Amino acid sequence: MKSDNYGVESIQVLEGLEAVRKRPGMYIGTTGERGLHHLVWEIVDNAVDESLAGFCDDIEIVINTDESVTVKDDGRGIPTGIHPKTGISTVETIFTVLHAGGKFGGGGYKVSGGLHGVGASVVNALSSWLEVRIYQNENVYFERFENGGHSVKPLEIIDTCDKNRTGTVVTFKPDPEIFKETTIFDYDTLKNRARELAFLNKGLRIKLIDLRHDKSEEFLYNGGVIEYVRMLNGNKKPIHDSIIYIEGSESDIEIEVALQYNDGYSSNIYSFTNNINTLEGGTHEDGVKMALSRIINNYAKKNNFIKANEDSLSIDDVKEGITMIISCKHPDPQFEGQTKTKLGNVEVKKIASNIFGNGLEKFLLENPNEAKIIIEKAMLASRARMAAKKARELTRRKSDLDVVNFGGKLVDCKEKDPSVCEIFLVEGDSAGGSAIKGRDSMTQAILPLRGKILNVEKARIDRALSNEEIRTIITAFGTGIGNDFDISKLRYNKIIIMTDADVDGSHIRVLLLTLFYRFFRPIVEQGHVYAAQPPLYCIKHGKTIKYVLNEEERDEYLSTLNANTKYDIMRMKGLGEMDAEELNETTMDIEKRVLRKITVDDVIAADASFSKLMGEEVEPRKKFIEENAIYAQNLDI
Ligand code: 0R9
């Protein structure tokens, strides 16, 4: 069949791909940087599926110099015969029929499609060109598609190969007409996910090669999730040597858990289903947490750590300082929740609880020394929780008008509808004073912060709550923390950190982000946190005043001015030196200001950097500073 001679079915196929091009967001979420990288995962996931089926153990991802990407696997190769339903090769079907991979592939766990499960045809539809090569039966099969999935020529044999060589190689170039924001691949984004996939699939080798910068890395973890936990605890101090590992399966559902406690206070539990990060948790996570609490309490009571008349340990107590990976493989996962990252299958809760509970019980019985260390840590957490309870009472905002607790520090806004309200956390009393005068008192609340707030990475909840600055912030937000946390009570839609653009300002910003990340993570995840961007320069010409954020913007603006224009450039002062009008004009006015939204794109990477930068261990911080010092040129800007 020639490309200019398509039948009715082929026309339908092209209409399908055209629909993807018309509404790409529906298939890959966004056409920004995230969507661009999503294309790679769609293809890589097919290779990982082949590995889960037991036929592939080597995957290579290559970023080519022209920003096309090649993905190779050493599996069986996509079937090359004619597909009985479509009358065209199965290869072409996979790349041109929406959702064909799922329909035509048989059995096994399908990781397919990361978040959206859309497959190779969507990648083809959103690419300027795509080429597929299949090594099978001593032949190399080839097909090329152009302009969003139009086959140039049907699948053909272009060469022969060694009889032992099998596999699939896909190269595609994302279409700049679709990805208008960027078509440049980010090495670290690809690296983080490639490494995560290698951790989650023990024995699978994933190599990432960047031909643009001549660098490459290979990830292969025979210990799988055990090595994942070891890496996550790398910047922390574990309190016992072994990493506890439990696996099992029931009714085709596989559960794998690895965990280790460290001497910190936060818990880092990450769960996955079919390699997809279930950020919102779900039944697998619920089952494991339930068993963790049940088994530790049973053991503690049986062995007299907890007396008959004493309270049980809560889930928060047994979670303190835990680093845990939960990986579930399910033949038919149902994803729910706001971001479709919550596992909904009800049967999984009991299965996960049984498998993990039995394994943990056995571990504690066989390792009484480690059991003692873990239980004593949870009991300390329990005592701190009791002490914190009292302090927490003090942070409860009883009503919107309840300003008694604020000691006069918070200057609230008049509007009560949270969706239009914002709060500025301002560095220093002086800038705080200008902000109070310069604000829109209807919708903008101001909380001046005196000096540095406590580093909560190094403090347990009871100590954090005894810190007045932190109590004030918690009270102002209205959400409570820990078990009481309720995001629906958030008093302000935007929480804006306003600090100077110097070293001290950055430090205060990191301390605040650490606090938010540890105690109010959903407000970060749901995009409520922003950093104000005070301008660096003011350009005056004639009656026009233009504020710009950095040198780049300054030069760009100046290049737009007529060559004869006379202008003055002033370097802006710190926040504290600006008067109310200037501060409003440059940094607070909704119409004119620039805010930077703080996102947690990669929660796990963020946790590692928070621990590294804010934790007890000095060595990782020193190493980070040494490695990154070269990037820190403009510290005083
Ligand atoms: C480089 C990226 N790799 C792939 O896209 C890829 C898809 C694929 C595959 C099979 C083997 N390797 C692959 N690599 C495969 C699957 C099945 C049978 N034979 C080969 C099967 O699922 O039963 N396929 C993915 C879907 C299909 N093949 C199929 F639907 F065409 F069968």
Side-chain angles (χ1 to χ4, degrees):
M1 196 164 16
K2 283 210 187 103
S3 59
D4 57 355
N5 194 18
Y6 272 114
V8 176
E9 278 150 355
S10 304
I11 290 166
Q12 280 172 355
V13 160
L14 291 176
E15 278 172 356
L17 295 191
E18 199 44 46
V20 177
R21 289 178 68 81
K22 275 207 181 109
R23 290 210 168 77
M26 266 182 63
Y27 298 87
I28 55 162
T30 74
T31 51
E33 199 172 349
R34 216 190 165 109
L36 177 78
H37 291 81
H38 195 92
L39 300 187
V40 180
W41 307 128
E42 286 299 340
I43 302 297
V44 170
D45 283 347
N46 289 336
V48 175
D49 279 347
E50 183 66 355
S51 141
L52 287 176
F55 300 102
C56 152
D57 43 32
D58 248 305
I59 296 175
E60 209 170 280
I61 305 166
V62 186
I63 315 169
N64 300 306
T65 49
D66 63 352
E67 296 291 340
S68 66
V69 166
T70 300
V71 183
K72 293 182 198 173
D73 71 48
D74 66 345
R76 291 165 291 177
I78 302 175
T80 47
I82 297 293
H83 194 275
K85 275 212 186 108
T86 59
I88 51 176
S89 71
T90 304
V91 175
E92 188 171 329
T93 309
I94 288 288
F95 281 92
T96 55
V97 179
L98 286 182
H99 304 296
K103 250 186 260 166
F104 298 109
Y109 300 111
K110 285 275 174 244
V111 179
S112 279
L115 224 49
H116 303 271
V118 288
S121 57
V122 168
V123 178
N124 197 13
L126 301 177
S127 294
S128 307
W129 55 264
L130 180 148
E131 291 179 355
V132 53
R133 287 174 178 76
I134 288 141
Y135 297 80
Q136 218 172 53
N137 319 318
E138 296 179 46
N139 288 322
V140 184
Y141 297 80
F142 174 82
E143 183 159 358
R144 180 179 163 95
F145 304 85
E146 286 178 1
N147 298 325
H150 296 252
S151 168
V152 173
K153 219 179 184 194
L155 189 72
E156 60 177 336
I157 295 172
I158 55 161
D159 205 349
T160 55
C161 67
D162 188 275
K163 68 174 187 306
N164 294 321
R165 170 136 196 218
T166 60
T168 305
V169 181
V170 176
T171 303
F172 64 94
K173 176 141 170 70
D175 189 342
E177 299 264 305
I178 303 282
F179 299 94
K180 292 203 170 82
E181 209 174 282
T182 180
T183 48
I184 310 287
F185 285 100
D186 179 57
Y187 182 84
D188 286 334
T189 304
L190 295 179
K191 171 191 154 166
N192 286 337
R193 175 66 177 156
R195 187 176 57 182
E196 183 172 271
L197 280 170
F199 276 130
L200 292 168
N201 299 280
K202 58 180 160 214
L204 173 61
R205 183 194 309 272
I206 305 185
K207 194 167 181 189
L208 176 62
I209 302 168
D210 187 346
L211 294 178
R212 302 166 306 181
H213 305 114
D214 243 347
K215 64 176 171 181
S216 72
E217 275 171 285
E218 196 177 280
F219 306 105
L220 165 65
Y221 303 105
N222 289 322
V225 289
I226 297 178
E227 292 190 54
Y228 203 169
V229 167
R230 186 169 297 127
M231 195 255 322
L232 290 171
N233 265 349
N235 293 325
K236 301 178 178 165
K237 262 195 198 148
I239 56 169
H240 54 101
D241 289 337
S242 54
I243 293 175
I244 303 171
Y245 175 72
I246 291 151
E247 69 167 336
S249 69
E250 197 185 312
S251 316
D252 269 351
I253 296 162
E254 276 178 26
I255 300 289
E256 229 187 327
V257 183
L259 72 103
Q260 187 184 39
Y261 285 88
N262 62 64
D263 72 345
Y265 308 119
S266 51
S267 79
N268 290 297
I269 299 180
Y270 302 110
S271 64
F272 299 84
T273 296
N274 293 8
N275 295 334
I276 295 162
N277 189 343
T278 34
L279 279 169
E280 297 171 279
T283 48
H284 54 337
E285 204 175 306
D286 294 345
V288 168
K289 283 182 185 163
M290 209 167 76
L292 182 73
S293 167
R294 172 169 51 87
I295 298 298
I296 290 187
N297 271 300
N298 284 350
Y299 185 92
K301 282 177 188 160
K302 246 191 218 146
N303 294 280
N304 251 343
F305 288 96
I306 301 179
K307 310 277 174 315
N309 60 344
E310 285 178 327
D311 280 350
S312 295
L313 299 164
S314 74
I315 179 67
D316 284 337
D317 300 334
V318 298
K319 264 175 26 188
E320 191 187 274
I322 204 170
T323 297
M324 181 189 240
I325 298 288
I326 303 166
S327 173
C328 169
K329 301 258 164 72
H330 197 294
D332 183 24
Q334 306 297 318
F335 293 105
E336 302 174 345
Q338 253 186 349
T339 55
K340 291 270 175 287
T341 57
K342 181 175 184 179
L343 183 67
N345 305 61
V346 281
E347 74 283 4
V348 175
K349 186 167 171 179
K350 201 157 168 224
I351 294 175
S353 172
N354 283 343
I355 292 174
F356 177 68
N358 291 341
L360 184 64
E361 187 172 24
K362 187 162 174 276
F363 176 88
L364 296 178
L365 283 172
E366 289 171 359
N367 299 276
N369 290 339
E370 304 217 359
K372 182 166 179 274
I373 292 169
I374 291 168
I375 285 164
E376 282 176 352
K377 161 122 184 143
M379 291 181 69
L380 266 179
S382 168
R383 273 177 226 131
R385 180 170 53 91
M386 309 278 184
K389 207 170 162 195
K390 258 222 162 105
R392 198 178 303 171
E393 283 294 315
L394 295 175
T395 65
R396 209 156 275 157
R397 189 169 179 159
K398 293 181 191 69
S399 77
D400 289 338
L401 299 171
D402 177 20
V403 283
V404 182
N405 288 327
F406 294 117
K409 281 185 77 187
L410 175 86
V411 181
D412 212 349
C413 53
K414 296 193 191 104
E415 176 62 57
K416 295 295 167 241
D417 173 6
S419 70
V420 293
C421 292
E422 33 188 63
I423 182 169
F424 285 81
L425 306 181
V426 187
E427 174 186 355
D429 280 340
S430 155
S434 297
I436 291 165
K437 285 196 212 109
R439 74 190 176 129
D440 171 354
S441 62
M442 258 335 264
T443 58
Q444 296 182 322
I446 309 292
L447 180 60
L449 299 171
R450 236 164 261 146
K452 306 271 166 78
I453 66 158
L454 180 77
N455 176 6
V456 296
E457 182 69 33
K458 292 183 186 168
R460 207 179 233 134
I461 188 164
D462 54 332
R463 231 189 98 212
L465 284 169
S466 65
N467 179 282
E468 198 184 319
E469 216 88 46
I470 289 181
R471 274 214 310 270
T472 311
I473 291 172
I474 300 169
T475 315
F477 288 4
T479 55
I481 57 168
N483 283 344
D484 300 340
F485 183 84
D486 180 356
I487 195 150
S488 70
K489 296 208 175 110
L490 185 61
R491 168 81 178 86
Y492 311 97
N493 183 43
K494 286 197 174 79
I495 293 161
I496 304 167
I497 302 172
M498 191 155 80
T499 56
D500 274 324
D502 59 12
V503 183
D504 271 348
S506 309
H507 192 201
I508 293 172
R509 195 166 57 241
V510 173
L511 289 167
L512 282 169
L513 290 178
T514 308
L515 172 72
F516 297 165
Y517 185 70
R518 293 281 173 232
F519 288 177
F520 307 96
R521 197 172 295 186
I523 68 168
V524 185
E525 284 167 349
Q526 294 180 27
H528 292 287
V529 181
Y530 295 81
Q533 307 270 78
L536 192 57
Y537 294 102
C538 169
I539 305 166
K540 279 188 190 162
H541 57 97
K543 283 189 180 150
T544 311
I545 298 179
K546 171 81 183 169
Y547 294 102
V548 293
L549 289 181
N550 49 40
E551 276 90 3
E552 222 170 59
E553 273 191 18
R554 177 196 62 192
D555 297 345
E556 202 181 307
Y557 184 73
L558 291 178
S559 74
T560 64
L561 297 180
N562 188 310
N564 303 323
T565 307
K566 285 208 170 107
Y567 57 80
D568 281 328
I569 300 183
M570 280 188 314
R571 211 188 140 101
M572 298 296 292
K573 298 163 273 186
L575 291 173
E577 296 155 68
M578 288 195 215
D579 63 24
E581 200 184 327
E582 271 178 312
L583 197 58
N584 172 284
E585 179 90 350
T586 60
T587 318
M588 296 175 73
D589 185 335
I590 294 181
E591 300 291 327
K592 298 180 189 153
R593 72 186 180 195
V594 180
L595 294 181
R596 185 160 55 88
K597 192 183 235 179
I598 308 282
T599 62
V600 188
D601 228 6
D602 182 345
V603 179
I604 296 175
D607 174 67
S609 45
F610 273 115
S611 298
K612 202 181 292 177
L613 294 174
M614 307 301 289
E616 297 277 7
E617 292 284 275
V618 178
E619 267 315 303
R621 183 160 49 243
K622 212 169 126 198
K623 191 160 167 261
F624 179 87
I625 292 169
E626 280 165 8
E627 283 171 3
N628 290 278
I630 50 161
Y631 302 115
Q633 297 162 338
N634 297 324
L635 281 181
D636 284 326
I637 291 175

